[in-house]
Amino acid sequence: MKLSHIEHIGIAVKNLDESIKFYEEVLGLQCYNIEEVKDQKVRTAFFLVGLTKIELLESTDPEGPIAKFIGKKGEGIHHIAYAVDDLQKNLDELHQKGIQLIDKEPRGGAEGLNIAFLHPRSTYGVLTELCEHPDQTHS
Ligand code: ZN
């Protein structure tokens, strides 16, 4: 397994528009993309810091995973996403090592990336996402 960098940090927020203001007006970042990911019942906003993005996530459904996360833990860091090449191969290797996977196969995420989540039970409590740019698929 070879992680090239932290692709993004996902942060669960109750109100996307309000939280964007904080990132822009206080932290001085620029939101360059707002996107709804229907599959995950979220609206996302992206900021770039160096190579790493901040992904704000607002639930579009009271039963969605982000709404449930906030209900349990409150707003805050939701997941860390690492960039990898050949996501499927990495998932197969992790599976062989006994790591519990939420996604055994890559699926489409925001920004056209292929993504997969590892279960926090296998990662010391951190919901961990792996993502690859589609042009880096080798299989
Ligand atoms: Zn993510």
Side-chain angles (χ1 to χ4, degrees):
M1 179 133 207
K2 191 168 167 289
L3 308 175
S4 62
H5 62 284
I6 294 177
E7 214 282 336
H8 63 269
I9 297 171
I11 298 172
V13 300
K14 290 180 185 165
N15 184 313
L16 196 68
D17 299 321
E18 249 175 49
S19 59
I20 287 172
K21 274 190 214 153
F22 168 78
Y23 282 86
E24 292 197 327
E25 290 168 19
V26 181
L27 297 188
L29 298 174
Q30 180 81 49
C31 176
Y32 68 89
N33 185 23
I34 292 179
E35 186 180 342
E36 187 171 342
V37 185
K38 292 225 162 85
D39 182 43
Q40 290 163 59
K41 300 186 170 112
V42 288
R43 213 157 63 92
T44 63
F46 284 94
F47 306 82
L48 193 60
V49 191
L51 274 180
T52 303
K53 298 162 189 166
I54 300 293
E55 174 186 36
L56 302 180
L57 303 137
E58 175 197 70
S59 190
T60 54
D61 181 327
E63 293 299 310
I66 292 299
K68 283 186 183 155
F69 175 88
I70 290 176
K72 241 196 287 183
K73 298 191 173 170
E75 292 178 299
I77 292 182
H78 177 257
H79 65 272
I80 294 187
Y82 299 100
V84 294
D85 286 344
D86 206 344
L87 180 52
Q88 183 65 68
K89 185 169 151 255
N90 282 294
L91 291 175
D92 292 344
E93 281 175 15
L94 289 165
H95 182 66
Q96 274 164 23
K97 286 179 181 163
I99 302 299
Q100 203 178 328
L101 305 176
I102 293 174
D103 303 298
K104 293 207 169 85
E105 289 175 2
R107 58 184 157 113
E111 304 225 290
L113 297 177
N114 298 325
I115 65 158
F117 283 98
L118 317 185
H119 200 286
R121 266 199 290 272
S122 283
T123 59
Y124 297 86
V126 178
L127 178 58
T128 301
E129 177 183 345
L130 301 178
C131 44
E132 83 181 338
H133 286 271
D135 56 14
Q136 282 162 356
T137 306
H138 296 289
S139 47

